[in-house]
Amino acid sequence: SPAKDCCFAQLLNPDGLQVDYFVSHWWGHPFERTVQALDNFAKSVYKKIGKKSPDDVVFWICLFALNQHQAAQEVGSSPEEGPFNAALAKARHGAVMVLDGRAEPLQRIWCLYEVLRARHFKQAFRLIVDEGDIAKASASTLDAISESLQKLEAFNANASRASDKEAILFRILD
């Protein structure tokens, strides 16, 4: 059993923090590149959102915000009950989705659901790449993303659990 039965974010900030941005991403994207994308994005927005430095921008990432020792209980019995939903609803400046040329998050059912929920909550939703905001992406990255988006179909989106895919597809179709 773990020494502390909580998530990593609780270990670092036991009193919690106000979330600036909800992060939607794919676990197969190299972690160091995800951090690079978030760092570059934070450098471009921190002044606009009233922060003293890029290090003060708070991102909600499920890996760190959920208790991985009790992942099944943390996620809840339906997508709307999950902490993803609450974090997305309360993020002060919206959500960001970390992409590379393959645009893999847009081929994942949970990420598509996060796009839908962001719209439901009237949250800003921004695409970011290694360089930061998608506007800073190279032409080759933009071309690759464009090609990936042309093949996008929610019905063919991937999920780790078939039951998640069915539940989310039902909500998207509804």
Side-chain angles (χ1 to χ4, degrees):
S1 109
K4 298 279 185 179
D5 192 14
C6 65
C7 70
F8 186 70
Q10 287 173 300
L11 285 174
L12 293 181
N13 303 293
D15 296 327
L17 292 173
Q18 180 70 42
V19 171
D20 293 312
Y21 293 97
F22 175 92
V23 178
S24 182
H25 65 104
W26 173 56
W27 292 114
H29 190 251
F31 183 69
E32 63 275 4
R33 289 183 54 205
T34 298
V35 172
Q36 178 185 3
L38 295 174
D39 184 53
N40 286 329
F41 178 74
K43 287 174 183 171
S44 71
V45 298
Y46 78 95
K47 289 180 184 173
K48 293 177 204 159
I49 66 170
K51 299 290 181 157
K52 292 180 183 166
S53 81
D55 292 338
D56 294 328
V57 178
V58 178
F59 293 102
W60 190 94
I61 301 174
C62 63
L63 170 66
F64 304 113
L66 299 183
N67 183 346
Q68 299 300 316
H69 305 291
Q70 300 178 24
Q73 296 92 330
E74 288 275 297
V75 172
S77 60
S78 74
E80 294 84 7
E81 289 178 14
F84 305 91
N85 218 40
L88 184 51
K90 294 180 180 187
R92 292 179 5 180
H93 303 288
V96 296
M97 178 178 279
V98 181
L99 295 179
D100 60 11
R102 295 184 347 196
E104 188 70 31
L106 293 170
Q107 297 171 43
R108 307 290 305 169
I109 199 70
W110 271 106
C111 294
L112 291 176
Y113 183 67
E114 291 163 359
V115 172
L116 178 70
R117 296 306 289 168
R119 183 173 174 220
H120 172 82
F121 293 128
K122 296 179 176 47
Q123 288 283 31
F125 197 93
R126 298 172 71 170
L127 301 176
I128 65 173
V129 293
D130 291 355
E131 298 83 1
D133 193 270
I134 196 164
K136 296 179 180 177
S138 68
S140 62
T141 298
L142 291 173
D143 286 344
I145 290 171
S146 176
E147 283 184 37
S148 295
L149 292 178
Q150 290 176 30
K151 301 171 193 166
L152 178 67
E153 291 182 10
F155 185 77
N156 294 326
N158 300 312
S160 299
R161 293 175 41 194
S163 59
D164 287 349
K165 182 173 180 174
E166 291 167 9
I168 293 170
L169 280 174
F170 176 77
R171 285 153 178 84
I172 291 171
L173 295 172
D174 193 35

